[in-house]
Amino acid sequence: MAQAWKCSGLRWSADGPVLVWDGGRRSALTRGKRVAFGVAEGGVRICVGARGHTCPVGAAMPGRSTGARCEECARLDRAHSVAADTIADDPRSYRVYLAWFGPGMVKVGITAQARGSARLLEQGAVCFSWLGLGPLMAARRTEELLRAALRVPDRIPYAEKRAVRAALPETAADRAREVAELYERAVALPAWPESLVREPLRVVDHMGVFGLGGLPAAVGQVSELVAGGVVGGELVAAAGPDLHLATGGGVVVLDTRLMTGWGLVPAAAGEPTVPIRQFKEAAGVQDGLF
């Protein structure tokens, strides 16, 4: 029986995306690579624990969960979290950013300066620009200012990001336009915290990094992994946690967060046998009765 591996998730580095496995092993994900793995027969998805600790009860998790943490481990994971506003005294410097995922989809967010652009790659931001740099609470107040004054969201659902990746503007200038326009409106606001240093507009484009140029529209996405199921396909693009895999039935999106908690085994190249949710075709404009 093949050894089962536990996936810790997808990580982005300067060299591109890699799958990280428990124990530290890494698998580089290069475009054109064949991705194929199976879920161990009779396997059960188990809570991944929190902050380096295993789940004390080994709780079983549903296949559709992208968090793969039970309620208690999820609470522990967020107990010391910037995202959950539980670290008001973090001494690190933070950056405020504007990120663009497609037409009409710009969000504001913050990330530790030491992380560089890793947070933007993890979210699948097609392009972004820094807005300001300063202490955590000043960055958080600026984020709230933009949300209230300019009605900029701090979250965009992954379903919306996936829906537009194959139909993005072709030129970097067109992709940068909304970020540049919002940047000018943001820096003109009068209520910026004094401790936040404004950064110049420099739009960074991830279109090539993700491999989205000429990307075929996806026909569906993996909705969950199941015991005995197989995932297989040629990697044509990767953005955020998503892998776009070319299969015999078209491009299918795999959210790698669904892989955590399972025991995974090598699989021969083949078509996916896990549940796939088919995407509905966008409604067209009828140009005649027949």
Side-chain angles (χ1 to χ4, degrees), residues 51 76-88 140:
R51 303 197 170 275
L76 177 61
D77 189 62
R78 292 179 66 82
H80 194 70
S81 165
V82 170
D85 280 334
T86 56
I87 314 179
R140 184 65 84 194

Short mmCIF file of all heavy atoms in Angstrom, two decimals, residues 51 76-88 140:
data_model
loop_
_atom_site.label_atom_id
_atom_site.label_comp_id
_atom_site.label_asym_id
_atom_site.label_seq_id
_atom_site.Cartn_x
_atom_site.Cartn_y
_atom_site.Cartn_z
N ARG A 51 -1.75 26.18 14.95
CA ARG A 51 -0.48 26.71 15.43
C ARG A 51 0.55 25.62 15.74
O ARG A 51 1.22 25.63 16.77
CB ARG A 51 -0.69 27.61 16.65
CG ARG A 51 -1.65 28.74 16.35
CD ARG A 51 -1.62 29.87 17.34
NE ARG A 51 -2.41 30.97 16.81
CZ ARG A 51 -1.95 31.91 15.97
NH1 ARG A 51 -0.71 31.84 15.55
NH2 ARG A 51 -2.73 32.87 15.52
N LEU A 76 -8.71 28.61 18.44
CA LEU A 76 -7.32 28.75 18.88
C LEU A 76 -6.47 29.42 17.81
O LEU A 76 -5.62 30.26 18.11
CB LEU A 76 -6.76 27.37 19.22
CG LEU A 76 -5.29 27.31 19.64
CD1 LEU A 76 -5.07 28.13 20.91
CD2 LEU A 76 -4.85 25.87 19.84
N ASP A 77 -6.70 29.10 16.54
CA ASP A 77 -5.92 29.67 15.46
C ASP A 77 -6.12 31.16 15.34
O ASP A 77 -5.20 31.90 14.98
CB ASP A 77 -6.30 28.97 14.14
CG ASP A 77 -5.37 29.35 13.01
OD1 ASP A 77 -4.16 29.06 13.12
OD2 ASP A 77 -5.85 29.94 12.02
N ARG A 78 -7.34 31.62 15.64
CA ARG A 78 -7.66 33.04 15.52
C ARG A 78 -7.42 33.82 16.81
O ARG A 78 -7.59 35.04 16.84
CB ARG A 78 -9.12 33.22 15.08
CG ARG A 78 -9.38 32.73 13.66
CD ARG A 78 -10.84 32.91 13.28
NE ARG A 78 -11.24 34.30 13.21
CZ ARG A 78 -11.04 35.10 12.16
NH1 ARG A 78 -10.41 34.63 11.10
NH2 ARG A 78 -11.45 36.34 12.17
N ALA A 79 -7.01 33.11 17.86
CA ALA A 79 -6.83 33.77 19.16
C ALA A 79 -5.64 34.72 19.16
O ALA A 79 -5.53 35.58 20.03
CB ALA A 79 -6.66 32.73 20.26
N HIS A 80 -4.73 34.57 18.22
CA HIS A 80 -3.57 35.45 18.12
C HIS A 80 -3.38 35.81 16.66
O HIS A 80 -2.44 35.41 16.00
CB HIS A 80 -2.32 34.73 18.66
CG HIS A 80 -1.17 35.66 18.92
ND1 HIS A 80 -1.16 36.58 19.93
CD2 HIS A 80 0.02 35.80 18.27
CE1 HIS A 80 -0.01 37.25 19.91
NE2 HIS A 80 0.71 36.80 18.90
N SER A 81 -4.37 36.56 16.14
CA SER A 81 -4.43 36.79 14.70
C SER A 81 -4.66 38.26 14.38
O SER A 81 -5.53 38.91 14.97
CB SER A 81 -5.57 35.95 14.11
OG SER A 81 -5.90 36.38 12.82
N VAL A 82 -3.85 38.78 13.44
CA VAL A 82 -4.05 40.15 12.97
C VAL A 82 -5.40 40.27 12.28
O VAL A 82 -6.15 41.23 12.47
CB VAL A 82 -2.92 40.55 12.01
CG1 VAL A 82 -3.25 41.88 11.32
CG2 VAL A 82 -1.60 40.66 12.76
N ALA A 83 -5.75 39.27 11.47
CA ALA A 83 -7.01 39.32 10.73
C ALA A 83 -8.21 39.39 11.66
O ALA A 83 -9.24 39.99 11.33
CB ALA A 83 -7.12 38.09 9.83
N ALA A 84 -8.09 38.77 12.83
CA ALA A 84 -9.21 38.75 13.78
C ALA A 84 -9.13 39.91 14.77
O ALA A 84 -9.91 39.97 15.73
CB ALA A 84 -9.23 37.43 14.54
N ASP A 85 -8.18 40.84 14.56
CA ASP A 85 -8.02 42.00 15.44
C ASP A 85 -7.75 41.60 16.89
O ASP A 85 -8.27 42.22 17.82
CB ASP A 85 -9.25 42.91 15.37
CG ASP A 85 -9.22 43.81 14.15
OD1 ASP A 85 -8.12 44.10 13.65
OD2 ASP A 85 -10.30 44.21 13.69
N THR A 86 -6.95 40.56 17.10
CA THR A 86 -6.63 40.14 18.47
C THR A 86 -5.20 40.50 18.85
O THR A 86 -4.74 40.14 19.92
CB THR A 86 -6.83 38.62 18.63
OG1 THR A 86 -6.03 37.93 17.66
CG2 THR A 86 -8.29 38.24 18.44
N ILE A 87 -4.46 41.22 17.98
CA ILE A 87 -3.10 41.65 18.30
C ILE A 87 -3.00 43.16 18.08
O ILE A 87 -2.56 43.63 17.03
CB ILE A 87 -2.05 40.96 17.40
CG1 ILE A 87 -2.31 39.48 17.28
CG2 ILE A 87 -0.65 41.19 17.94
CD1 ILE A 87 -1.33 38.75 16.39
N ALA A 88 -3.41 43.92 19.06
CA ALA A 88 -3.39 45.37 18.92
C ALA A 88 -1.99 45.95 19.14
O ALA A 88 -1.70 47.07 18.71
CB ALA A 88 -4.36 46.00 19.92
N ARG A 140 -4.64 49.66 10.05
CA ARG A 140 -6.02 49.20 10.21
C ARG A 140 -7.01 50.37 10.10
O ARG A 140 -8.06 50.24 9.46
CB ARG A 140 -6.17 48.50 11.56
CG ARG A 140 -7.54 47.89 11.79
CD ARG A 140 -7.81 46.76 10.82
NE ARG A 140 -7.25 45.50 11.26
CZ ARG A 140 -7.11 44.43 10.49
NH1 ARG A 140 -7.47 44.49 9.22
NH2 ARG A 140 -6.59 43.32 10.97
#
